[in-house]
Coordinates of all heavy atoms in Angstrom, one line a residue:
W1 N 94.1 96.0 88.6 CA 95.2 95.1 88.8 C 96.5 95.9 88.9 O 97.4 95.6 89.7 CB 95.3 94.0 87.9 CG 94.2 93.0 88.1 CD1 93.4 92.9 89.3 CD2 93.8 91.9 87.4 NE1 92.5 91.9 89.2 CE2 92.7 91.2 88.0 CE3 94.1 91.4 86.1 CZ2 92.1 90.2 87.5 CZ3 93.5 90.4 85.5 CH2 92.5 89.7 86.2
K2 N 96.6 96.9 88.1 CA 97.8 97.7 88.1 C 97.9 98.5 89.5 O 99.0 98.5 90.0 CB 97.8 98.7 86.9 CG 99.1 99.5 86.7 CD 99.0 100.3 85.3 CE 100.3 100.9 85.1 NZ 100.4 101.6 83.9
L3 N 96.8 99.0 89.9 CA 96.8 99.8 91.1 C 97.2 98.8 92.2 O 98.0 99.2 93.1 CB 95.4 100.4 91.3 CG 95.3 101.1 92.7 CD1 96.1 102.3 92.9 CD2 93.8 101.5 93.0
K4 N 96.6 97.6 92.3 CA 96.9 96.6 93.2 C 98.4 96.3 93.3 O 98.9 96.2 94.4 CB 96.0 95.3 93.1 CG 94.6 95.5 93.2 CD 94.1 95.6 94.6 CE 94.0 94.1 95.2 NZ 93.4 94.2 96.5
Q5 N 99.0 96.2 92.2 CA 100.4 96.0 92.1 C 101.2 97.1 92.7 O 102.1 96.9 93.6 CB 100.9 95.8 90.7 CG 100.5 94.5 90.1 CD 101.0 94.5 88.7 OE1 101.1 95.5 88.0 NE2 101.2 93.3 88.1
H6 N 100.8 98.3 92.5 CA 101.4 99.5 93.1 C 101.2 99.6 94.5 O 102.2 100.2 95.3 CB 101.0 100.8 92.4 CG 101.5 100.9 90.9 ND1 102.6 100.5 90.4 CD2 100.7 101.3 89.8 CE1 102.7 100.7 89.1 NE2 101.6 101.1 88.7
L7 N 100.1 99.1 95.0 CA 99.9 99.2 96.4 C 100.7 98.3 97.3 O 100.8 98.4 98.5 CB 98.3 99.0 96.8 CG 97.3 100.1 96.3 CD1 96.0 99.6 96.5 CD2 97.7 101.4 97.0
A8 N 101.3 97.3 96.6 CA 102.1 96.3 97.3 C 103.4 97.0 97.9 O 103.9 96.7 99.0 CB 102.5 95.2 96.3
N9 N 103.9 98.1 97.2 CA 105.0 98.9 97.7 C 104.9 100.3 97.1 O 105.6 100.7 96.2 CB 106.3 98.2 97.1 CG 107.4 98.6 97.9 OD1 107.5 99.6 98.6 ND2 108.6 97.9 98.0
P10 N 104.0 101.1 97.8 CA 103.7 102.4 97.2 C 104.9 103.3 97.3 O 105.0 104.2 96.5 CB 102.6 102.9 98.1 CG 102.6 102.1 99.3 CD 103.1 100.7 98.9
G11 N 105.8 103.2 98.3 CA 106.9 104.0 98.3 C 107.8 104.0 97.1 O 108.3 105.0 96.6
V12 N 108.1 102.7 96.7 CA 108.9 102.5 95.5 C 108.2 103.2 94.4 O 108.8 103.9 93.6 CB 109.1 101.1 95.3 CG1 109.8 100.8 93.9 CG2 110.0 100.4 96.3
R13 N 107.0 103.0 94.1 CA 106.2 103.5 93.0 C 106.2 105.1 93.1 O 106.5 105.8 92.1 CB 104.8 103.0 93.1 CG 103.8 103.8 92.0 CD 104.2 103.4 90.6 NE 103.2 104.1 89.8 CZ 103.5 104.4 88.6 NH1 104.7 104.2 88.0 NH2 102.6 105.0 87.8
Q14 N 106.0 105.7 94.2 CA 106.1 107.1 94.3 C 107.4 107.6 94.1 O 107.5 108.8 93.3 CB 105.6 107.5 95.7 CG 104.1 107.3 96.0 CD 103.7 107.5 97.4 OE1 104.5 107.6 98.4 NE2 102.4 107.6 97.6
R15 N 108.5 107.0 94.6 CA 109.8 107.5 94.2 C 110.1 107.5 92.8 O 110.7 108.5 92.1 CB 110.9 106.8 95.0 CG 111.0 107.2 96.5 CD 112.1 106.6 97.2 NE 112.0 105.1 97.4 CZ 111.2 104.4 98.3 NH1 110.6 105.1 99.2 NH2 111.2 103.1 98.3
R16 N 109.8 106.4 92.1 CA 109.9 106.2 90.6 C 109.2 107.4 89.9 O 109.7 107.9 88.9 CB 109.6 104.9 90.0 CG 110.5 103.8 90.5 CD 110.1 102.5 90.0 NE 110.9 101.4 90.5 CZ 110.6 100.2 90.6 NH1 109.3 99.8 90.2 NH2 111.4 99.2 91.0
L17 N 107.9 107.5 90.3 CA 107.0 108.5 89.6 C 107.6 110.0 89.8 O 107.7 110.7 88.8 CB 105.7 108.4 90.2 CG 104.6 109.4 89.6 CD1 104.5 109.3 88.1 CD2 103.4 109.3 90.3
L18 N 108.1 110.3 91.0 CA 108.7 111.6 91.3 C 109.9 111.8 90.4 O 110.1 112.8 89.7 CB 109.0 111.8 92.7 CG 109.7 113.1 93.1 CD1 108.8 114.3 92.8 CD2 110.1 113.1 94.6
K19 N 110.8 110.8 90.3 CA 112.0 110.9 89.6 C 111.6 111.1 88.1 O 112.3 111.9 87.4 CB 112.8 109.6 89.7 CG 114.1 109.7 89.0 CD 115.0 108.4 89.3 CE 116.4 108.6 88.6 NZ 117.2 107.5 89.0
R20 N 110.7 110.2 87.6 CA 110.3 110.4 86.2 C 109.7 111.8 85.8 O 110.1 112.4 84.9 CB 109.3 109.3 85.8 CG 108.9 109.4 84.4 CD 108.0 108.3 83.9 NE 106.8 108.1 84.7 CZ 105.6 108.7 84.6 NH1 105.5 109.7 83.7 NH2 104.6 108.5 85.4
L21 N 108.9 112.3 86.7 CA 108.3 113.6 86.5 C 109.3 114.8 86.6 O 109.2 115.7 85.8 CB 107.1 113.9 87.5 CG 105.9 113.0 87.4 CD1 105.0 113.2 88.5 CD2 105.2 113.3 86.0
L22 N 110.2 114.6 87.5 CA 111.2 115.7 87.6 C 112.1 115.6 86.4 O 112.5 116.8 85.8 CB 112.0 115.5 88.8 CG 111.4 115.7 90.1 CD1 112.1 115.3 91.4 CD2 111.0 117.2 90.4
Q23 N 112.6 114.5 85.9 CA 113.5 114.4 84.8 C 112.7 114.9 83.6 O 113.3 115.6 82.7 CB 113.8 113.0 84.6 CG 115.0 112.5 85.6 CD 115.3 111.0 85.4 OE1 114.6 110.2 84.7 NE2 116.3 110.6 86.0
S24 N 111.5 114.5 83.3 CA 110.9 114.9 82.1 C 110.4 116.4 82.1 O 110.3 117.0 81.0 CB 109.6 114.1 81.8 OG 108.7 114.1 82.8
N25 N 110.3 117.0 83.2 CA 109.9 118.4 83.3 C 111.0 119.4 83.8 O 110.7 120.6 84.0 CB 108.6 118.5 84.2 CG 107.5 117.8 83.6 OD1 107.0 118.2 82.6 ND2 107.0 116.8 84.3
A26 N 112.2 118.9 83.8 CA 113.3 119.8 84.3 C 113.5 121.0 83.3 O 113.9 122.0 83.8 CB 114.6 119.0 84.3
G27 N 113.2 120.8 82.1 CA 113.4 121.9 81.1 C 112.2 122.8 81.0 O 112.3 123.8 80.2
T28 N 111.2 122.7 81.7 CA 110.0 123.6 81.6 C 110.4 124.8 82.5 O 111.3 124.9 83.3 CB 108.8 123.0 82.2 OG1 109.0 122.7 83.7 CG2 108.5 121.6 81.6
V29 N 109.6 125.8 82.3 CA 109.7 127.1 82.9 C 109.6 126.8 84.5 O 110.4 127.3 85.3 CB 108.6 128.1 82.5 CG1 108.6 129.3 83.4 CG2 108.7 128.5 81.1
F30 N 108.6 126.0 84.9 CA 108.4 125.7 86.3 C 109.6 124.9 86.8 O 110.2 125.1 87.9 CB 107.2 125.0 86.4 CG 106.7 124.9 87.9 CD1 105.9 126.0 88.4 CD2 106.8 123.7 88.6 CE1 105.4 125.8 89.8 CE2 106.3 123.6 89.9 CZ 105.7 124.6 90.5

């Protein structure tokens, strides 16, 4: 059901996920 919710608007989910990953990993070597 969680996946089904995300499939309703995948672009929004992908943008949020990218933002979260970039913020949380900005201090890594990579």
